[in-house]
Amino acid sequence: MVRFMFSALVIFSLIGTAALPEEEMHAVRRQEMVKEQLAARGISDKAVLEVMAKVKRHLFVPESLSRMAYEDRPLPISYGQTISQPYIVAFMTQAAGLGSNDRVLEIGTGSGYQAAVLAEIVKEVYTIEIVKPLADRARNRLKVMGYNNIEVRHGDGYQGWKEQAPFDAIIVTAAPDEIPEELIRQLKTGGRMVIPVGSFFQELYRITKTDSGIKKENLLPVAFVPMIHPQE
Ligand code: SAH
């Protein structure tokens, strides 16, 4: 018996995660992702690390790519769009400085993954997607997963979501050339917006709205898909 267990152990360690049932393999890779791609690179917010270890990113990517879901890279999600690299999702979530009572607006729903990560931390998430089939797909997916604190709207993120404003935080996951004034208007005083800005070269900024104006911090060079104007 001991000998059998030993050989089983040897075989298992030789073939590694390849022999595990699909779900377990994803779980192992997800934990590795958190350790190697996030914690090792300075993501330190405990809530963010916990959520990244929990949300099943492989369910947000096309099935044919699910084995790559925990790799250190963005992945295509059709319509020329991508789901961001896990590190960027964690970095933006941490940079937004979220609290459990916050109401958050996301621009660029895409797969719905960032929205799910936010919804695990905050009270309410409102997310806007300009490509209708992506909005519909993300809405269904999030509903099936049981998220009842996320609202998905098909529309133009440049307009924000006036009926639900002001927000504690806004996370923009497509890059405009300039910071949209309307989104700053929809931030609470004390609210934070994390947003990539630029065309070819982009920088990720944190904008904090204060009594006396806005504070702008340059956080990181990034590469997001451009934020689309609806008339284009
Ligand atoms: N946050 C997403 C990834 C976003 S990719 C995720 O977690 O999967 C950027 C998304 O922004 C794309 O789906 C794109 O269609 C959308 N987008 C681009 N311009 C937009 C606009 N003006 N308003 C709303 N969404 C927009």
Side-chain angles (χ1 to χ4, degrees):
M1 182 63 185
V2 170
R3 214 165 122 197
F4 167 75
M5 279 170 64
F6 179 71
S7 13
L9 202 72
V10 169
I11 292 168
F12 179 73
S13 53
L14 283 177
I15 49 185
T17 52
L20 290 175
E22 201 82 352
E23 275 303 303
E24 277 177 53
M25 176 196 79
H26 285 306
V28 169
R29 293 198 174 150
R30 194 159 57 244
Q31 306 313 314
E32 285 171 0
M33 169 196 88
V34 170
K35 219 168 113 194
E36 292 160 15
Q37 299 170 34
L38 310 184
R41 287 192 195 135
I43 304 294
S44 55
D45 184 319
K46 239 181 119 224
V48 174
L49 291 171
E50 273 173 27
V51 169
M52 295 295 293
K54 179 177 172 194
V55 179
K56 296 180 174 175
R57 183 175 157 94
H58 63 278
L59 300 180
F60 291 85
V61 303
E63 219 175 321
S64 58
L65 299 179
S66 72
R67 294 181 76 87
M68 297 163 86
Y70 299 102
E71 289 182 8
D72 190 16
R73 49 172 291 184
L75 290 171
I77 53 167
S78 71
Y79 302 94
Q81 304 303 338
T82 55
I83 176 171
S84 306
Q85 178 192 6
Y87 174 70
I88 292 293
V89 173
F91 185 93
M92 291 176 86
T93 308
Q94 174 169 281
L98 302 169
S100 55
N101 260 324
D102 285 358
R103 299 170 64 255
V104 179
L105 174 66
E106 180 198 21
I107 307 299
T109 314
S111 67
Y113 176 66
Q114 172 79 73
V117 166
L118 293 168
E120 294 276 352
I121 300 176
V122 305
K123 193 162 149 208
E124 291 166 20
V125 178
Y126 298 86
T127 179
I128 306 176
E129 170 56 55
I130 202 162
V131 177
K132 186 157 191 309
L134 286 177
D136 292 343
R137 204 180 291 170
R139 188 183 299 110
N140 284 339
R141 175 180 284 146
L142 293 163
K143 194 175 160 202
V144 169
M145 288 178 175
Y147 287 100
N148 50 23
N149 60 341
I150 304 176
E151 269 196 57
V152 181
R153 171 189 271 189
H154 166 233
D156 173 24
Y158 281 104
Q159 309 305 318
W161 195 318
K162 283 200 184 76
E163 302 85 336
Q164 295 295 344
F167 298 97
D168 298 284
I170 300 180
I171 293 200
V172 183
T173 66
D177 288 340
E178 281 163 26
I179 297 166
E181 283 298 322
E182 181 56 31
L183 295 184
I184 293 180
R185 270 194 283 281
Q186 294 187 20
L187 261 187
K188 274 185 194 168
T189 302
R192 294 83 50 204
M193 172 156 69
V194 181
I195 179 169
V197 183
S199 40
F200 190 73
F201 293 104
Q202 301 164 6
E203 297 285 343
L204 189 68
Y205 289 97
R206 174 170 49 211
I207 311 293
T208 307
K209 191 168 177 178
T210 69
D211 283 332
S212 53
I214 65 164
K215 182 174 121 191
K216 189 173 166 187
E217 295 163 272
N218 187 336
L219 304 177
L220 198 71
V222 285
F224 278 82
V225 294
M227 194 162 157
I228 304 162
H229 284 281
Q231 67 271 27
E232 278 172 9

